[in-house]
Amino acid sequence: MNHAALVTVHLFAAIMFVGTVFFEVLILEGIRKPVGRETMRTVEIAIGRRARRIMPFVMIALYGAGVSMAWQYRDALAHPFGSSFATLLWLKIVLALSVLAHFITAITLLATGRMTSRHFKIIHISVFCHVVLIVFLAKAMFYISW
């Protein structure tokens, strides 16, 4: 797949994933108190079911395109501190791998019935912080240099 197609697939998958995270953290967390514990638990379970159906495909597209694009920068990645671009790209990759670990943890907790509201909240806030940094780095690595 050519670079433009990879960037497009990666961007659309990122929009879907990051948009979902933003919705869950900025909207759902804001309604937690007004709707009550039981209703919120029902909403979280329903979101978990839907996420288990859709997000694996989004993650495959996101990470598949990301790995393919990173492969094109393998020379820069071979020297993480050789340029600001390589350093920022490495940081973005590390954060992305952490998000993947969070995602796998969440899916595992949901599948085994061990996901609690506390887990849901902590995982989503952590992933939110990660994706904010990843989005920043996605642009910064092309515009910031030292």
Side-chain angles (χ1 to χ4, degrees), residues 6-146:
L6 287 172
V7 169
T8 303
V9 168
H10 190 70
L11 184 58
F12 277 114
I15 288 168
M16 188 161 184
F17 182 76
V18 173
T20 300
V21 172
F22 269 65
F23 171 79
E24 290 176 347
V25 172
L26 298 177
I27 304 297
L28 285 184
E29 288 304 317
I31 66 167
R32 186 172 294 280
K33 284 185 182 177
V35 301
R37 174 176 256 156
E38 287 304 312
T39 302
M40 196 64 195
R41 181 79 179 134
T42 302
V43 169
E44 290 169 355
I45 290 169
I47 287 172
R49 274 193 213 117
R50 187 70 177 152
R52 281 195 309 273
R53 282 189 226 124
I54 294 173
M55 282 303 154
F57 299 105
V58 171
M59 298 297 276
I60 288 167
L62 182 63
Y63 283 85
V67 167
S68 297
M69 288 188 308
W71 181 253
Q72 295 174 6
Y73 294 110
R74 64 190 174 277
D75 292 336
L77 291 170
H79 307 285
F81 301 108
S83 68
S84 55
F85 177 85
T87 303
L88 295 174
L89 181 55
W90 263 110
L91 182 55
K92 184 180 172 208
I93 290 168
V94 168
L95 289 169
L97 291 173
S98 178
V99 168
L100 183 60
H102 282 74
F103 179 77
I104 291 167
T105 299
I107 292 299
T108 302
L109 289 172
L110 286 167
T112 60
R114 295 181 299 144
M115 177 67 89
T116 65
S117 289
R118 181 168 164 72
H119 288 134
F120 189 85
K121 185 176 183 179
I122 291 169
I123 289 170
H124 283 88
I125 290 171
S126 179
V127 170
F128 178 82
C129 294
H130 280 66
V131 298
V132 167
L133 287 171
I134 290 169
V135 169
F136 172 77
L137 290 170
K139 288 312 230 179
M141 56 191 213
F142 291 102
Y143 297 107
I144 295 175
S145 62
W146 53 80

